[in-house]
Amino acid sequence: MASALAGQHALVSGGGRGIGRAIASALHLAGARVSIIGRNGTMLQQVLDAGEADRAASVDVTDEAAMARTLAELSAEQPFDIVVANAGAVETAPFRKSDAALFRRMVEINLVGTVNSFRPALPAMLERGSGRLIAIASTAGHRGYPYVSAYVAAKHAVIGLVRSLALETARSGITVNAVCPGYTDTDMVAGSIAAITGKTGATAQDALAQLVKDNPQGRLITPEEVAASVLNLCRPESRGITGQSLLINGGEF
């Protein structure tokens, strides 16, 4: 794998923690030059200090102009061969309390953030005739969950984007795919557990059991498992895989 990614330049959004950091580290270990972006400069610096990425920049993925400038700066010496749009967020609320503003926030961070990660990198990929665009979506892009209708809608949209863009680029040498983990052992899920315990009085153990009840393996997915799937999609041998959304969820349907 190291020889497969040697000399390639990868961008990972939301690369300062959780799944994004695991992906950045895996790509770096596989020989890629890795640039990471995110809103928390302190966390990004920690990844650099740990030797898990090469460059970092603080930027809000929902800001189209700022993203265009930042990605241009990071790719000035070498265009991106791989872009992993990982940045995302979730807010919980019953639908009757989910106003249009909540839906807009979920669409902005999860869908528009993906668009703003892909679009600046695409022209150079088209010119070279190669590239990997990978969105970190969610099991929520394939099925519904109660109390997160806005998040589910946004993740369904991400998968729709992937399928459409894959058809546009099918003969270009570029592949476009989504990786869709179930509940993963990250700070985001820890926040969901805290929210459940705060609202219901349940114990953390009971809250965790509630989150993994639909996973036949009865556990959280690890960030490293998601990173391994991203690595596989980056391999030259995976050039025939495009427009797909790979579920990593222990068999949940």
Side-chain angles (χ1 to χ4, degrees), residues 196 202-211:
I196 292 170
T203 67
Q205 183 176 1
D206 288 341
L208 175 60
Q210 181 179 335
L211 293 182

Side-chain angles (χ1 to χ4, degrees), residues 64-244:
E64 182 180 13
M67 282 288 286
R69 289 193 302 271
T70 300
L71 268 59
E73 293 169 0
L74 291 173
S75 63
E77 295 180 5
Q78 180 182 0
F80 296 117
D81 302 283
I82 299 162
V83 173
V84 184
N86 165 74
V90 61
E91 293 184 42
T92 62
F95 178 74
R96 61 189 175 83
K97 294 184 178 180
S98 300
D99 59 14
L102 190 157
F103 274 82
R104 291 190 188 98
R105 288 194 298 273
M106 291 297 93
V107 168
E108 283 290 317
I109 181 65
N110 293 293
L111 175 62
V112 177
T114 298
V115 172
N116 290 342
S117 298
F118 284 177
R119 287 188 70 245
L122 183 58
M125 289 184 177
L126 289 170
E127 184 176 345
R128 296 194 311 277
S130 66
R132 297 287 187 268
L133 299 174
I134 302 170
I136 305 303
S138 168
T139 309
H142 282 258
R143 55 161 293 183
Y145 292 96
Y147 307 112
V148 284
S149 57
Y151 176 76
V152 168
K155 289 301 188 181
H156 272 69
V158 170
I159 292 176
L161 167 67
V162 163
R163 290 172 175 165
S164 295
L165 184 54
L167 292 175
E168 287 190 28
T169 59
R171 298 192 179 188
S172 69
I174 298 167
T175 66
V176 190
N177 291 288
V179 175
C180 302
Y183 285 108
T184 306
D185 191 7
T186 63
D187 291 346
M188 183 182 292
V189 167
S192 296
I193 291 173
I196 292 170
T197 59
K199 291 179 180 179
T200 68
T203 67
Q205 183 176 1
D206 288 341
L208 175 60
Q210 181 179 335
L211 293 182
V212 303
K213 64 181 176 60
D214 291 328
N215 182 330
Q217 293 181 342
R219 66 178 181 89
L220 294 175
I221 302 301
T222 70
E224 290 72 24
E225 289 175 289
V226 183
S229 293
V230 170
L231 275 179
N232 184 59
L233 290 173
C234 293
R235 298 178 62 186
E237 296 84 354
S238 296
R239 63 185 178 275
I241 304 173
T242 193
Q244 304 303 306

